[in-house]
Amino acid sequence: MEQINYINNDERTFSMLCHLSALSGLIVPFGHIIGPLVFWLLKKDEYAEVDRQGKAALNFQLSLTIYSVIAGILVIFLVGFILLAAIFIFGLIMTIIASVKSSNGEYFEYPLSINLIE
């Protein structure tokens, strides 16, 4: 595991919030994208690690949205219901893991994430 050298505790906190704020999507429509976007835009110029973590969180959440749309279309063939459930559980677990790893100062890379924001 690669450790990240944070400048201060605020950088670690905002890095974690970039991931954790995606859980707001459970309450607010499109909160899974708006939450990470807000924290990333607020602190990306101030902290390099927040910039990296914010992009990773946004890319993952956008990827999950794309996968969900495809699974939604596949509902016609009944396979989509299983895929939607799997995508939801996968997204929830990966978001929590990324939040904990970021909080501990460890490097985490989301699996199955499409790099839409470079």
Side-chain angles (χ1 to χ4, degrees), residues 16-74:
M16 178 193 63
L17 286 173
C18 284
H19 300 288
L20 202 56
S21 64
L23 297 178
S24 66
L26 298 171
I27 300 168
V28 178
F30 298 104
H32 66 289
I33 295 171
I34 296 169
L37 181 63
V38 167
F39 286 109
W40 176 61
L41 288 175
L42 282 175
K43 296 295 180 175
K44 70 178 177 132
D45 296 328
E46 191 174 341
Y47 301 119
E49 190 56 27
V50 173
D51 184 39
R52 191 187 70 75
Q53 298 280 347
K55 286 178 188 176
L58 279 170
N59 282 328
F60 182 68
Q61 295 305 322
L62 289 169
S63 298
L64 288 181
T65 302
I66 292 168
Y67 301 148
S68 296
V69 168
I70 293 168
I73 294 168
L74 292 175

Side-chain angles (χ1 to χ4, degrees), residues 1-6 9 12-13 15-16 53 96-107:
M1 281 181 270
E2 183 181 331
Q3 287 292 109
I4 300 167
N5 294 323
Y6 287 103
N9 206 26
R12 181 180 290 201
T13 301
S15 292
M16 178 193 63
Q53 298 280 347
I96 292 170
I97 290 172
S99 300
V100 171
K101 294 263 188 189
S102 182
S103 175
N104 291 335
E106 298 175 28
Y107 178 78

